[in-house]
Amino acid sequence: MLVEPEDLTSAEVLAIVAEHWDAKARHCGFVPRGAGAQHWVVSGRHLPRWFVTADDVSAPGRLDELQDTYAAARALAGDGLVTVVPTVAPGGGGAGENVGGGGAGENVGGGGAGENVGGGGVGVVDGRWLLTVTPYVEGEWGPGDYADDAQRALVARALGALHAAPPPARIRSWEPGPPSRADLERVLETVDGPRWTSGPFGESVRIALQDNAPELRSLLRRYDVLAAAAVRHRGDWVPTHGQPHTANVLWGEAGPLLVDWESLRVAPRERDLRAVLRDADGAEPLSAYVAMGGSLDLDADRVELFDLEWWLGETAAYAVQFHAPHTGDTDEVRFHREFLEEVVPSTGGR
């Protein structure tokens, strides 16, 4: 997100990190990037030490879900999957001197700011936020599309290793949605009603949804058909990252690292591969995937399924956000523009 939350400031994040992870933490700066979670970098006296993520866990079941998911990602890293950037346990699980490796260090955990949760050390809850910490890693983020087949092949290798790995104990299974479907269907029932006066962007979003409501309902029906077919083949499912687009790839000296593991699920492999193999110019990315243990068999219907899931999920998120009270802050300006310029125009092409 681009706007730091009022109920979780940099000073509060620094205090929580110093108490539960690293007594030598001295500075904290908000990082305006991404959508959904909040991020900060925490430094020592001179150099960055930690990357902090705060997820809103106020929705029922969200805390349990993230505890399981982050624990499963850490288990994959512990089993040798080197492209996973896992969370570091609060307390004794990596605090203090051993900053880079996520191993044991001096125990700085204790009571006070935040509550240590997650059995096995997943993170700290403060109000509506779950704070998790990963070691700070130097590298470059890759916004936009993958640059070429060489880049796609490196990420495809990482996904091949992930898909060949045994599912860890706490990993959850993908469940057909799409995300926030019930909320989307509820909002669609209101688009023919009164103006949306919930905020500066409510009415323009209502009109766009009203114009596209028949197509949206048709796409939801198509999604159901595709999802039912995928569920009948659960035996083919593998551990998947869920969102291996360029914004979740950190390019370091040793190659790509996959970050933001909140969507980790056992699911059809196409859930990941649609984002990486699409638009490849040649066979190099698929060959790299197969060389690391991935399957050569890709199902076009499942690719379509997860294309629809992403697009319908984005539509639902924007519809719910702008149907509710909003103020038009920097993040909302960005989301409104993305909804009108990217999400809505793609409806007619599906």
Side-chain angles (χ1 to χ4, degrees):
M1 301 292 281
L2 303 182
V3 180
E4 187 174 31
E6 294 181 358
D7 57 343
L8 188 64
T9 65
S10 295
E12 292 170 316
V13 171
L14 178 61
I16 292 170
V17 171
E19 182 161 3
H20 291 277
W21 279 278
D22 185 0
K24 297 185 178 181
R26 293 292 181 270
H27 308 284
C28 178
F30 179 70
V31 179
R33 68 172 296 270
Q38 307 281 352
H39 303 286
W40 294 261
V41 169
V42 172
S43 306
R45 291 189 181 278
H46 303 291
L47 296 174
R49 295 164 72 90
W50 306 106
F51 190 78
V52 183
T53 296
D55 291 289
D56 186 342
V57 293
S58 57
R62 181 61 170 163
L63 177 58
D64 290 342
E65 174 192 348
L66 288 180
Q67 289 181 61
D68 286 345
T69 300
Y70 288 141
R74 188 187 301 163
L76 288 169
D79 288 341
L81 210 60
V82 297
T83 53
V84 178
V85 181
T87 58
V88 174
E97 292 301 327
N98 192 0
V99 173
E106 60 180 291
N107 189 336
V108 298
E115 176 189 359
N116 189 338
V117 299
V122 170
V124 169
V125 170
D126 186 74
R128 65 186 174 110
W129 302 103
L130 170 65
L131 279 76
T132 54
V133 163
T134 60
Y136 182 84
V137 180
E138 290 287 350
E140 295 182 359
W141 303 103
D145 298 326
Y146 286 105
D148 50 33
D149 276 9
Q151 255 194 11
R152 293 187 187 92
L154 289 171
V155 178
R157 284 179 59 86
L159 293 176
L162 170 63
H163 293 178
R170 293 178 67 177
I171 192 171
R172 296 192 174 197
S173 291
W174 168 77
E175 296 181 1
S180 303
R181 176 181 185 145
D183 292 329
L184 174 59
E185 291 176 330
R186 173 181 54 81
V187 169
L188 286 177
E189 294 300 319
T190 73
V191 296
D192 293 325
R195 293 171 55 89
W196 289 5
T197 58
S198 52
F201 304 131
E203 182 60 6
S204 61
V205 171
R206 183 193 70 82
I207 293 171
L209 290 170
Q210 183 184 48
D211 291 342
N212 292 279
E215 183 65 18
L216 282 168
R217 294 188 174 97
S218 175
L219 292 175
L220 285 168
R221 291 191 294 271
R222 173 62 176 165
Y223 176 90
D224 290 340
V225 171
L226 297 170
V231 168
R232 288 195 293 269
H233 297 279
R234 286 182 180 270
D236 299 336
W237 294 9
V238 297
T240 61
H241 179 281
Q243 298 183 18
H245 48 69
T246 56
N248 285 337
V249 177
L250 181 64
W251 295 92
E253 292 183 358
L257 297 170
L258 296 174
V259 300
D260 289 353
W261 285 86
E262 65 173 298
S263 298
L264 173 65
R265 295 290 187 276
V266 173
R269 67 189 73 246
E270 289 84 358
R271 184 172 184 247
D272 284 343
L273 296 177
R274 54 172 286 276
V276 177
L277 299 184
R278 186 193 313 281
D279 299 328
D281 294 320
E284 182 185 2
L286 181 58
S287 298
Y289 173 73
V290 173
M292 293 303 293
S295 170
L296 190 61
D297 298 325
L298 300 180
D299 187 284
D301 282 349
R302 294 184 191 180
V303 172
E304 182 186 357
L305 166 66
F306 290 105
D307 280 346
L308 278 175
E309 177 161 282
W310 178 85
W311 183 82
L312 289 168
E314 291 289 287
T315 302
Y318 291 132
V320 170
Q321 179 172 9
F322 294 117
H323 183 253
H326 59 279
T327 60
D329 65 20
T330 302
D331 281 314
E332 289 165 348
V333 169
R334 173 175 57 130
F335 295 149
H336 181 249
R337 181 178 64 251
E338 290 174 355
F339 176 74
L340 294 182
E341 294 181 358
E342 299 176 22
V343 177
V344 172
S346 67
T347 303
R350 295 186 179 277

